[in-house]
Amino acid sequence: MELLLENCHRLAEDLAHAARELRALIDDSQSVIFLNLDSHRNVMMRLNLQLTMGTFSLSLFGLIGVAFGMNLESSLEEDHRVFWLVTGVMFMGSGLIWRRLLSFLGRQLEAPVPPMAAPLPRKTLRAGGRLDAKPSLRPDGLGSSRSVLTPR
């Protein structure tokens, strides 16, 4: 009876250990997925900021067109080349301002490159039933650019 109870106790401990390992793996996977989602959110926020800067630069130079669109009379309305000149100046000026804002954004938001993470040990099953831990030979370590959800 004592052997049966010890065997059940050992099985319960093995199951608890396996459950703890699975919980740790689930937590690790969840943190990797959250990091991936944070990265996508940051990309979307940066794109939103870039488009906002473009809209600002277009509206800033659009004021020139607004001035010519008013019902004010001058001698510039009679020459057809002035329309294209003003339009070209508007787009060139807005493009230059946008590029300047983007270069400023690039200087301000450059993040330092994170150090390469140490490779995780890989567990392999030997013929005798023992687990053997080998270091991973993958060069990408934890900093892989592949998606977590796709098979490798």
Side-chain angles (χ1 to χ4, degrees):
M1 186 65 161
E2 184 180 339
L3 288 174
L4 183 61
L5 287 174
E6 284 180 13
N7 190 20
C8 287
H9 182 65
R10 186 179 50 82
L11 282 174
E13 285 179 354
D14 289 344
L15 286 175
H17 180 68
R20 281 191 298 272
E21 282 184 3
L22 285 175
R23 179 65 184 171
L25 289 174
I26 288 171
D27 289 341
D28 291 344
S29 297
Q30 185 179 18
S31 67
V32 168
I33 289 171
F34 284 150
L35 285 174
N36 195 9
L37 288 174
D38 286 343
S39 173
H40 286 295
R41 186 190 69 225
N42 290 342
V43 167
M44 294 301 292
M45 287 172 50
R46 187 176 175 100
L47 179 66
N48 185 19
L49 185 60
Q50 289 173 350
L51 291 176
T52 302
M53 284 185 209
T55 305
F56 171 73
S57 64
L58 275 175
S59 64
L60 186 66
F61 277 89
L63 293 176
I64 298 171
V66 169
F68 278 101
M70 292 180 162
N71 291 331
L72 301 175
E73 291 185 15
S74 67
S75 62
L76 297 175
E77 288 93 13
E78 296 173 11
D79 192 7
H80 294 288
R81 292 176 293 185
V82 173
F83 170 76
W84 294 110
L85 178 70
V86 168
T87 304
V89 166
M90 283 173 36
F91 280 113
M92 291 296 290
S94 65
L96 289 174
I97 293 283
W98 190 37
R99 292 303 298 166
R100 179 73 178 147
L101 288 172
L102 287 178
S103 68
F104 177 74
L105 175 69
R107 281 194 310 265
Q108 296 299 319
L109 293 182
E110 281 184 4
V113 177
M116 185 74 148
L120 294 175
R122 208 181 267 174
K123 293 181 182 177
T124 58
L125 187 61
R126 283 190 163 180
R130 281 186 24 206
L131 282 178
D132 190 20
K134 287 192 215 175
S136 174
L137 298 177
R138 286 193 335 231
D140 55 358
L142 291 177
S144 175
S145 62
R146 295 184 211 161
S147 173
V148 177
L149 301 176
T150 59
R152 295 184 180 220

